[in-house]
Amino acid sequence: MTSSDLTKLSSHFAFGKNWESYAELIDETRIREAERGLERLIGAGAIQGRHFLDIGCGSGLHALAAARLGAAKVTAIDIDPVSVATAEALFARHAPHAARDIRVLSILEGGETALHDIVYSWGVLHHTGAMYRALEQAAALVKPGGILVFALYRKTRLGPVWTAIKRWYSSASPAAQARARAVYLLVMRLRFYLTGRDFAAYVRDYKGSRGMDFLHDVHDWIGGYPYEEISESQVDALMQKLNFQPVARWVEGLQTGLLGSGCDEYVFRRPE
């Protein structure tokens, strides 16, 4: 994949269509869960009066949550026009008067030049096809004294296998995708059974995870291509090079990755 291909929507999984479908489920409960998720990462009251940039806004849920938590202005960008339209429609329903700028843009294009107090990108930069460059671009948009909040797929032993699966799934027919999801869910149910966990309860309570939806996230996970993984030490090396200071993190070590890779979460500050 060439550098110019990375900013073309055709080289990516159809995230926008998935987010458009998911947005139909967004209600006050999911919005409040998204608000709690942001406050867990950033701190209660920390968004009030700040300029907030959401890179890869998807459905717009977390950009909306930032606006509802008192952000002075929310900027939201996404490579997919369907995501941008979905996010704008979500604001129109739930925060019509919020100061916002929602537009189609890839972080790799460098078209965003304003600096922001909070730059947020949860589970996005590893789908650009140039994760390290995307993270550098995101860091460049943080004001001195501001923070960069991001989540990236952690390293797994089966990373190359998942890359191949995702490449196939992202261009497969809807019927083939449905069969792949059925197999994935069967394996997941079996793993829950063998480890004594309650699969039904996990699915029922899933929206408590940042307000998300289980089945939409399964589709997103299997199809999320381009795909890259990164270790904690690799994140630290890059952020040290960029002169950012660690604030907080929620990470796990190397895993097999049979059912995929979860995201490690990081908060870094740009010195004054």
Side-chain angles (χ1 to χ4, degrees), residues 87-146:
E88 185 58 59
L90 189 68
F91 268 82
R93 291 198 304 275
H94 295 283
H97 304 298
R100 61 190 184 273
D101 176 15
I102 307 175
R103 52 197 156 90
V104 178
L105 182 68
S106 165
I107 185 62
L108 298 177
E109 291 181 276
E112 177 64 21
T113 57
L115 300 184
H116 305 265
D117 299 300
I118 301 168
V119 175
Y120 172 87
S121 188
W122 208 103
V124 172
L125 304 178
H126 49 225
H127 291 312
T128 59
M131 178 177 59
Y132 283 86
R133 181 154 62 93
L135 189 52
E136 290 177 354
Q137 293 278 82
L141 298 176
V142 180
K143 285 183 179 179

Short mmCIF file of all heavy atoms in Angstrom, two decimals, residues 87-146:
data_model
loop_
_atom_site.label_atom_id
_atom_site.label_comp_id
_atom_site.label_asym_id
_atom_site.label_seq_id
_atom_site.Cartn_x
_atom_site.Cartn_y
_atom_site.Cartn_z
N ALA A 87 -21.79 11.66 12.78
CA ALA A 87 -21.43 12.47 13.94
C ALA A 87 -22.20 13.79 13.95
O ALA A 87 -22.69 14.23 15.00
CB ALA A 87 -19.93 12.73 13.94
N GLU A 88 -22.31 14.41 12.80
CA GLU A 88 -23.05 15.67 12.73
C GLU A 88 -24.52 15.47 13.09
O GLU A 88 -25.12 16.28 13.81
CB GLU A 88 -22.93 16.29 11.33
CG GLU A 88 -23.56 17.66 11.19
CD GLU A 88 -22.98 18.69 12.15
OE1 GLU A 88 -21.78 18.93 12.10
OE2 GLU A 88 -23.77 19.24 12.97
N ALA A 89 -25.12 14.39 12.61
CA ALA A 89 -26.51 14.09 12.93
C ALA A 89 -26.68 13.82 14.42
O ALA A 89 -27.70 14.20 15.03
CB ALA A 89 -26.98 12.89 12.12
N LEU A 90 -25.68 13.18 15.05
CA LEU A 90 -25.75 12.90 16.48
C LEU A 90 -25.72 14.20 17.27
O LEU A 90 -26.49 14.38 18.23
CB LEU A 90 -24.57 12.00 16.88
CG LEU A 90 -24.62 11.45 18.30
CD1 LEU A 90 -25.77 10.44 18.45
CD2 LEU A 90 -23.29 10.79 18.65
N PHE A 91 -24.87 15.13 16.89
CA PHE A 91 -24.84 16.43 17.55
C PHE A 91 -26.16 17.17 17.35
O PHE A 91 -26.66 17.81 18.29
CB PHE A 91 -23.69 17.28 17.00
CG PHE A 91 -22.41 17.16 17.77
CD1 PHE A 91 -21.55 16.09 17.55
CD2 PHE A 91 -22.06 18.10 18.71
CE1 PHE A 91 -20.36 15.97 18.26
CE2 PHE A 91 -20.88 18.01 19.43
CZ PHE A 91 -20.03 16.93 19.20
N ALA A 92 -26.70 17.08 16.15
CA ALA A 92 -27.97 17.78 15.88
C ALA A 92 -29.08 17.29 16.80
O ALA A 92 -29.96 18.06 17.20
CB ALA A 92 -28.36 17.59 14.41
N ARG A 93 -29.04 16.00 17.16
CA ARG A 93 -30.06 15.44 18.04
C ARG A 93 -29.81 15.75 19.52
O ARG A 93 -30.76 16.01 20.27
CB ARG A 93 -30.14 13.91 17.87
CG ARG A 93 -30.70 13.44 16.55
CD ARG A 93 -31.14 11.98 16.62
NE ARG A 93 -30.09 11.07 17.04
CZ ARG A 93 -29.20 10.53 16.22
NH1 ARG A 93 -29.25 10.83 14.92
NH2 ARG A 93 -28.29 9.69 16.66
N HIS A 94 -28.56 15.71 19.93
CA HIS A 94 -28.28 15.74 21.36
C HIS A 94 -27.55 16.98 21.86
O HIS A 94 -27.57 17.24 23.07
CB HIS A 94 -27.46 14.50 21.74
CG HIS A 94 -28.18 13.21 21.56
ND1 HIS A 94 -29.14 12.76 22.44
CD2 HIS A 94 -28.09 12.27 20.57
CE1 HIS A 94 -29.61 11.60 22.02
NE2 HIS A 94 -28.99 11.27 20.90
N ALA A 95 -26.92 17.74 20.98
CA ALA A 95 -26.22 18.96 21.41
C ALA A 95 -26.17 19.94 20.24
O ALA A 95 -25.10 20.31 19.75
CB ALA A 95 -24.81 18.63 21.89
N PRO A 96 -27.35 20.38 19.77
CA PRO A 96 -27.41 21.18 18.54
C PRO A 96 -26.68 22.50 18.62
O PRO A 96 -26.27 23.04 17.58
CB PRO A 96 -28.92 21.38 18.33
CG PRO A 96 -29.53 21.19 19.69
CD PRO A 96 -28.68 20.15 20.35
N HIS A 97 -26.51 23.04 19.79
CA HIS A 97 -25.88 24.36 19.92
C HIS A 97 -24.41 24.28 20.32
O HIS A 97 -23.77 25.33 20.53
CB HIS A 97 -26.65 25.20 20.94
CG HIS A 97 -28.11 25.34 20.61
ND1 HIS A 97 -28.55 25.95 19.46
CD2 HIS A 97 -29.22 24.92 21.28
CE1 HIS A 97 -29.89 25.92 19.42
NE2 HIS A 97 -30.31 25.29 20.51
N ALA A 98 -23.86 23.08 20.41
CA ALA A 98 -22.46 22.94 20.79
C ALA A 98 -21.54 23.51 19.71
O ALA A 98 -21.78 23.33 18.51
CB ALA A 98 -22.13 21.46 21.02
N ALA A 99 -20.50 24.21 20.12
CA ALA A 99 -19.51 24.72 19.18
C ALA A 99 -18.70 23.55 18.64
O ALA A 99 -18.06 22.83 19.42
CB ALA A 99 -18.60 25.72 19.88
N ARG A 100 -18.72 23.37 17.35
CA ARG A 100 -18.08 22.19 16.79
C ARG A 100 -17.63 22.42 15.35
O ARG A 100 -18.15 23.30 14.64
CB ARG A 100 -19.05 21.00 16.80
CG ARG A 100 -20.32 21.20 15.98
CD ARG A 100 -21.31 20.09 16.27
NE ARG A 100 -22.51 20.14 15.46
CZ ARG A 100 -23.60 20.83 15.76
NH1 ARG A 100 -23.62 21.57 16.87
NH2 ARG A 100 -24.66 20.80 14.98
N ASP A 101 -16.68 21.61 14.94
CA ASP A 101 -16.17 21.59 13.57
C ASP A 101 -15.95 20.13 13.23
O ASP A 101 -14.99 19.51 13.70
CB ASP A 101 -14.87 22.39 13.48
CG ASP A 101 -14.24 22.33 12.10
OD1 ASP A 101 -14.93 21.92 11.14
OD2 ASP A 101 -13.04 22.68 11.97
N ILE A 102 -16.84 19.56 12.44
CA ILE A 102 -16.79 18.14 12.10
C ILE A 102 -16.57 18.02 10.60
O ILE A 102 -17.37 18.53 9.81
CB ILE A 102 -18.09 17.41 12.50
CG1 ILE A 102 -18.42 17.67 13.97
CG2 ILE A 102 -17.99 15.92 12.23
CD1 ILE A 102 -19.74 17.09 14.42
N ARG A 103 -15.50 17.37 10.20
CA ARG A 103 -15.19 17.34 8.77
C ARG A 103 -14.42 16.10 8.36
O ARG A 103 -13.83 15.41 9.19
CB ARG A 103 -14.44 18.58 8.35
CG ARG A 103 -13.22 18.90 9.16
CD ARG A 103 -12.81 20.37 8.93
NE ARG A 103 -12.04 20.88 10.03
CZ ARG A 103 -10.72 20.81 10.13
NH1 ARG A 103 -10.03 20.22 9.15
NH2 ARG A 103 -10.09 21.29 11.16
N VAL A 104 -14.43 15.86 7.06
CA VAL A 104 -13.72 14.72 6.47
C VAL A 104 -12.25 15.07 6.34
O VAL A 104 -11.88 16.04 5.69
CB VAL A 104 -14.30 14.36 5.09
CG1 VAL A 104 -13.51 13.21 4.47
CG2 VAL A 104 -15.77 14.01 5.18
N LEU A 105 -11.41 14.28 7.01
CA LEU A 105 -9.96 14.51 6.95
C LEU A 105 -9.24 13.31 7.52
O LEU A 105 -9.61 12.78 8.57
CB LEU A 105 -9.58 15.77 7.75
CG LEU A 105 -8.10 16.16 7.73
CD1 LEU A 105 -7.69 16.62 6.33
CD2 LEU A 105 -7.82 17.25 8.75
N SER A 106 -8.19 12.86 6.86
CA SER A 106 -7.30 11.84 7.41
C SER A 106 -6.21 12.53 8.20
O SER A 106 -5.66 13.56 7.77
CB SER A 106 -6.67 11.01 6.28
OG SER A 106 -5.57 10.26 6.76
N ILE A 107 -5.86 11.99 9.36
CA ILE A 107 -4.78 12.56 10.16
C ILE A 107 -3.48 12.56 9.38
O ILE A 107 -2.59 13.39 9.62
CB ILE A 107 -4.63 11.80 11.50
CG1 ILE A 107 -3.59 12.47 12.41
CG2 ILE A 107 -4.28 10.33 11.26
CD1 ILE A 107 -3.94 13.89 12.80
N LEU A 108 -3.35 11.66 8.40
CA LEU A 108 -2.12 11.58 7.62
C LEU A 108 -1.99 12.70 6.59
O LEU A 108 -0.91 12.93 6.05
CB LEU A 108 -2.05 10.23 6.90
CG LEU A 108 -1.99 9.00 7.79
CD1 LEU A 108 -1.99 7.73 6.94
CD2 LEU A 108 -0.78 9.03 8.71
N GLU A 109 -3.09 13.41 6.33
CA GLU A 109 -3.05 14.48 5.33
C GLU A 109 -2.43 15.75 5.85
O GLU A 109 -2.02 16.62 5.08
CB GLU A 109 -4.47 14.77 4.82
CG GLU A 109 -5.06 13.66 3.99
CD GLU A 109 -6.46 14.00 3.50
OE1 GLU A 109 -7.43 13.80 4.24
OE2 GLU A 109 -6.57 14.50 2.35
N GLY A 110 -2.42 15.92 7.17
CA GLY A 110 -1.84 17.13 7.74
C GLY A 110 -2.68 18.38 7.53
O GLY A 110 -2.17 19.50 7.63
N GLY A 111 -3.96 18.21 7.26
CA GLY A 111 -4.82 19.36 7.00
C GLY A 111 -5.31 20.08 8.23
O GLY A 111 -5.83 21.20 8.15
N GLU A 112 -5.15 19.48 9.42
CA GLU A 112 -5.51 20.13 10.67
C GLU A 112 -4.27 20.82 11.21
O GLU A 112 -3.24 20.19 11.44
CB GLU A 112 -6.04 19.10 11.68
CG GLU A 112 -6.37 19.67 13.04
CD GLU A 112 -7.51 20.68 13.03
OE1 GLU A 112 -8.32 20.70 12.09
OE2 GLU A 112 -7.58 21.46 13.99
N THR A 113 -4.36 22.14 11.41
CA THR A 113 -3.19 22.89 11.84
C THR A 113 -3.37 23.54 13.21
O THR A 113 -2.38 23.91 13.84
CB THR A 113 -2.85 23.99 10.81
OG1 THR A 113 -4.00 24.85 10.64
CG2 THR A 113 -2.48 23.38 9.47
N ALA A 114 -4.59 23.70 13.66
CA ALA A 114 -4.83 24.32 14.97
C ALA A 114 -4.33 23.40 16.08
O ALA A 114 -4.36 22.17 15.96
CB ALA A 114 -6.32 24.60 15.15
N LEU A 115 -3.88 24.00 17.18
CA LEU A 115 -3.46 23.23 18.34
C LEU A 115 -4.61 23.14 19.34
O LEU A 115 -5.43 24.06 19.45
CB LEU A 115 -2.24 23.88 19.00
CG LEU A 115 -0.99 24.01 18.13
CD1 LEU A 115 0.16 24.57 18.95
CD2 LEU A 115 -0.61 22.68 17.50
N HIS A 116 -4.67 22.04 20.08
CA HIS A 116 -5.80 21.77 20.97
C HIS A 116 -5.31 21.39 22.36
O HIS A 116 -4.22 20.83 22.53
CB HIS A 116 -6.64 20.62 20.39
CG HIS A 116 -7.10 20.87 18.99
ND1 HIS A 116 -8.32 21.41 18.68
CD2 HIS A 116 -6.47 20.65 17.80
CE1 HIS A 116 -8.45 21.52 17.37
NE2 HIS A 116 -7.33 21.06 16.81
N ASP A 117 -6.15 21.71 23.36
CA ASP A 117 -5.80 21.36 24.74
C ASP A 117 -5.79 19.85 24.96
O ASP A 117 -4.96 19.32 25.69
CB ASP A 117 -6.82 21.98 25.72
CG ASP A 117 -6.85 23.49 25.63
OD1 ASP A 117 -5.80 24.11 25.88
OD2 ASP A 117 -7.92 24.04 25.30
N ILE A 118 -6.76 19.18 24.32
CA ILE A 118 -6.90 17.73 24.45
C ILE A 118 -7.02 17.13 23.06
O ILE A 118 -7.93 17.49 22.30
CB ILE A 118 -8.13 17.36 25.29
CG1 ILE A 118 -8.05 17.97 26.69
CG2 ILE A 118 -8.29 15.84 25.37
CD1 ILE A 118 -9.35 17.89 27.47
N VAL A 119 -6.10 16.25 22.71
CA VAL A 119 -6.19 15.51 21.45
C VAL A 119 -6.47 14.06 21.82
O VAL A 119 -5.71 13.44 22.57
CB VAL A 119 -4.90 15.64 20.62
CG1 VAL A 119 -4.97 14.75 19.39
CG2 VAL A 119 -4.67 17.10 20.22
N TYR A 120 -7.56 13.54 21.27
CA TYR A 120 -8.09 12.24 21.68
C TYR A 120 -8.25 11.35 20.44
O TYR A 120 -8.77 11.80 19.41
CB TYR A 120 -9.45 12.46 22.34
CG TYR A 120 -10.27 11.23 22.66
CD1 TYR A 120 -10.09 10.55 23.87
CD2 TYR A 120 -11.26 10.78 21.79
CE1 TYR A 120 -10.88 9.44 24.19
CE2 TYR A 120 -12.04 9.67 22.09
CZ TYR A 120 -11.85 9.02 23.29
OH TYR A 120 -12.62 7.92 23.60
N SER A 121 -7.77 10.12 20.54
CA SER A 121 -7.95 9.18 19.43
C SER A 121 -7.98 7.77 20.00
O SER A 121 -6.94 7.19 20.31
CB SER A 121 -6.81 9.32 18.42
OG SER A 121 -7.07 8.55 17.26
N TRP A 122 -9.19 7.23 20.12
CA TRP A 122 -9.35 5.92 20.78
C TRP A 122 -9.56 4.84 19.71
O TRP A 122 -10.56 4.82 19.01
CB TRP A 122 -10.55 5.96 21.72
CG TRP A 122 -10.43 5.00 22.88
CD1 TRP A 122 -10.12 5.31 24.17
CD2 TRP A 122 -10.62 3.57 22.86
NE1 TRP A 122 -10.09 4.17 24.95
CE2 TRP A 122 -10.39 3.09 24.18
CE3 TRP A 122 -10.94 2.65 21.86
CZ2 TRP A 122 -10.48 1.74 24.51
CZ3 TRP A 122 -11.03 1.31 22.18
CH2 TRP A 122 -10.81 0.87 23.51
N GLY A 123 -8.55 3.96 19.58
CA GLY A 123 -8.70 2.82 18.67
C GLY A 123 -8.76 3.19 17.20
O GLY A 123 -9.50 2.57 16.44
N VAL A 124 -7.99 4.19 16.81
CA VAL A 124 -8.07 4.69 15.43
C VAL A 124 -6.72 4.66 14.70
O VAL A 124 -6.63 4.18 13.57
CB VAL A 124 -8.62 6.14 15.42
CG1 VAL A 124 -8.54 6.76 14.03
CG2 VAL A 124 -10.06 6.17 15.94
N LEU A 125 -5.69 5.17 15.34
CA LEU A 125 -4.41 5.38 14.64
C LEU A 125 -3.81 4.10 14.12
O LEU A 125 -3.08 4.11 13.12
CB LEU A 125 -3.42 6.09 15.57
CG LEU A 125 -3.92 7.43 16.14
CD1 LEU A 125 -2.89 8.02 17.08
CD2 LEU A 125 -4.28 8.41 15.03
N HIS A 126 -4.13 2.96 14.75
CA HIS A 126 -3.62 1.67 14.27
C HIS A 126 -4.36 1.19 13.02
O HIS A 126 -4.02 0.16 12.45
CB HIS A 126 -3.71 0.61 15.36
CG HIS A 126 -5.04 0.54 16.05
ND1 HIS A 126 -5.16 0.44 17.41
CD2 HIS A 126 -6.30 0.56 15.56
CE1 HIS A 126 -6.44 0.39 17.74
NE2 HIS A 126 -7.14 0.46 16.63
N HIS A 127 -5.37 1.94 12.58
CA HIS A 127 -6.10 1.61 11.35
C HIS A 127 -5.73 2.53 10.18
O HIS A 127 -6.36 2.46 9.13
CB HIS A 127 -7.61 1.69 11.57
CG HIS A 127 -8.17 0.63 12.47
ND1 HIS A 127 -7.87 -0.70 12.31
CD2 HIS A 127 -9.02 0.70 13.53
CE1 HIS A 127 -8.50 -1.41 13.24
NE2 HIS A 127 -9.18 -0.59 13.99
N THR A 128 -4.74 3.37 10.35
CA THR A 128 -4.38 4.31 9.28
C THR A 128 -3.48 3.68 8.23
O THR A 128 -3.38 4.18 7.11
CB THR A 128 -3.65 5.53 9.87
OG1 THR A 128 -2.47 5.09 10.54
CG2 THR A 128 -4.55 6.29 10.85
N GLY A 129 -2.78 2.61 8.60
CA GLY A 129 -1.78 2.03 7.71
C GLY A 129 -0.40 2.63 7.92
O GLY A 129 0.59 2.17 7.32
N ALA A 130 -0.31 3.65 8.76
CA ALA A 130 0.97 4.29 9.10
C ALA A 130 0.87 4.78 10.53
O ALA A 130 0.87 5.98 10.80
CB ALA A 130 1.27 5.44 8.14
N MET A 131 0.77 3.84 11.46
CA MET A 131 0.46 4.15 12.85
C MET A 131 1.46 5.12 13.49
O MET A 131 1.06 6.07 14.17
CB MET A 131 0.40 2.85 13.65
CG MET A 131 0.13 3.02 15.13
SD MET A 131 -0.01 1.43 15.97
CE MET A 131 1.60 0.69 15.61
N TYR A 132 2.75 4.89 13.28
CA TYR A 132 3.75 5.74 13.91
C TYR A 132 3.65 7.17 13.39
O TYR A 132 3.72 8.14 14.16
CB TYR A 132 5.15 5.18 13.67
CG TYR A 132 5.48 3.99 14.54
CD1 TYR A 132 5.13 2.69 14.16
CD2 TYR A 132 6.14 4.16 15.76
CE1 TYR A 132 5.44 1.61 14.97
CE2 TYR A 132 6.45 3.08 16.57
CZ TYR A 132 6.08 1.80 16.16
OH TYR A 132 6.38 0.73 16.98
N ARG A 133 3.50 7.32 12.09
CA ARG A 133 3.37 8.66 11.52
C ARG A 133 2.08 9.33 12.00
O ARG A 133 2.07 10.52 12.30
CB ARG A 133 3.39 8.59 9.99
CG ARG A 133 3.27 9.95 9.31
CD ARG A 133 3.90 9.94 7.94
NE ARG A 133 3.28 9.01 7.02
CZ ARG A 133 2.30 9.34 6.17
NH1 ARG A 133 1.84 10.58 6.15
NH2 ARG A 133 1.81 8.45 5.34
N ALA A 134 1.01 8.54 12.10
CA ALA A 134 -0.26 9.10 12.58
C ALA A 134 -0.15 9.57 14.02
O ALA A 134 -0.68 10.63 14.38
CB ALA A 134 -1.36 8.04 12.46
N LEU A 135 0.56 8.81 14.85
CA LEU A 135 0.74 9.21 16.24
C LEU A 135 1.59 10.48 16.33
O LEU A 135 1.31 11.38 17.14
CB LEU A 135 1.38 8.07 17.03
CG LEU A 135 1.46 8.21 18.55
CD1 LEU A 135 0.10 8.54 19.15
CD2 LEU A 135 1.99 6.92 19.17
N GLU A 136 2.59 10.59 15.49
CA GLU A 136 3.41 11.80 15.46
C GLU A 136 2.57 13.00 15.03
O GLU A 136 2.69 14.09 15.60
CB GLU A 136 4.59 11.61 14.52
CG GLU A 136 5.64 10.64 15.03
CD GLU A 136 6.76 10.42 14.04
OE1 GLU A 136 6.66 10.93 12.90
OE2 GLU A 136 7.74 9.73 14.39
N GLN A 137 1.71 12.80 14.02
CA GLN A 137 0.85 13.88 13.56
C GLN A 137 -0.12 14.31 14.65
O GLN A 137 -0.39 15.50 14.85
CB GLN A 137 0.06 13.43 12.32
CG GLN A 137 0.90 13.20 11.09
CD GLN A 137 1.20 14.49 10.35
OE1 GLN A 137 2.12 15.22 10.71
NE2 GLN A 137 0.45 14.77 9.32
N ALA A 138 -0.67 13.33 15.37
CA ALA A 138 -1.60 13.65 16.46
C ALA A 138 -0.89 14.43 17.55
O ALA A 138 -1.42 15.42 18.08
CB ALA A 138 -2.19 12.36 17.02
N ALA A 139 0.32 14.01 17.90
CA ALA A 139 1.08 14.69 18.95
C ALA A 139 1.40 16.13 18.58
O ALA A 139 1.42 17.02 19.44
CB ALA A 139 2.37 13.92 19.23
N ALA A 140 1.61 16.37 17.30
CA ALA A 140 1.95 17.72 16.84
C ALA A 140 0.79 18.70 17.01
O ALA A 140 1.00 19.92 16.94
CB ALA A 140 2.39 17.68 15.38
N LEU A 141 -0.42 18.19 17.24
CA LEU A 141 -1.61 19.04 17.35
C LEU A 141 -1.96 19.36 18.81
O LEU A 141 -2.98 19.99 19.07
CB LEU A 141 -2.79 18.36 16.66
CG LEU A 141 -2.62 18.11 15.16
CD1 LEU A 141 -3.82 17.35 14.60
CD2 LEU A 141 -2.44 19.43 14.42
N VAL A 142 -1.11 18.94 19.74
CA VAL A 142 -1.34 19.21 21.16
C VAL A 142 -0.69 20.53 21.55
O VAL A 142 0.49 20.76 21.27
CB VAL A 142 -0.78 18.08 22.03
CG1 VAL A 142 -1.03 18.36 23.51
CG2 VAL A 142 -1.38 16.74 21.63
N LYS A 143 -1.44 21.39 22.21
CA LYS A 143 -0.88 22.65 22.72
C LYS A 143 0.18 22.37 23.79
O LYS A 143 0.08 21.36 24.50
CB LYS A 143 -1.97 23.50 23.36
CG LYS A 143 -2.93 24.18 22.41
CD LYS A 143 -3.90 25.03 23.22
CE LYS A 143 -4.88 25.76 22.31
NZ LYS A 143 -5.85 26.57 23.09
N PRO A 144 1.17 23.23 23.95
CA PRO A 144 2.06 23.11 25.10
C PRO A 144 1.23 23.09 26.40
O PRO A 144 0.35 23.93 26.59
CB PRO A 144 2.92 24.37 25.01
CG PRO A 144 2.95 24.69 23.54
CD PRO A 144 1.57 24.34 23.05
N GLY A 145 1.49 22.11 27.22
CA GLY A 145 0.71 21.95 28.44
C GLY A 145 -0.53 21.10 28.26
O GLY A 145 -1.20 20.75 29.24
N GLY A 146 -0.85 20.76 27.02
CA GLY A 146 -2.02 19.95 26.73
C GLY A 146 -1.72 18.47 26.80
O GLY A 146 -0.58 18.05 27.04
#
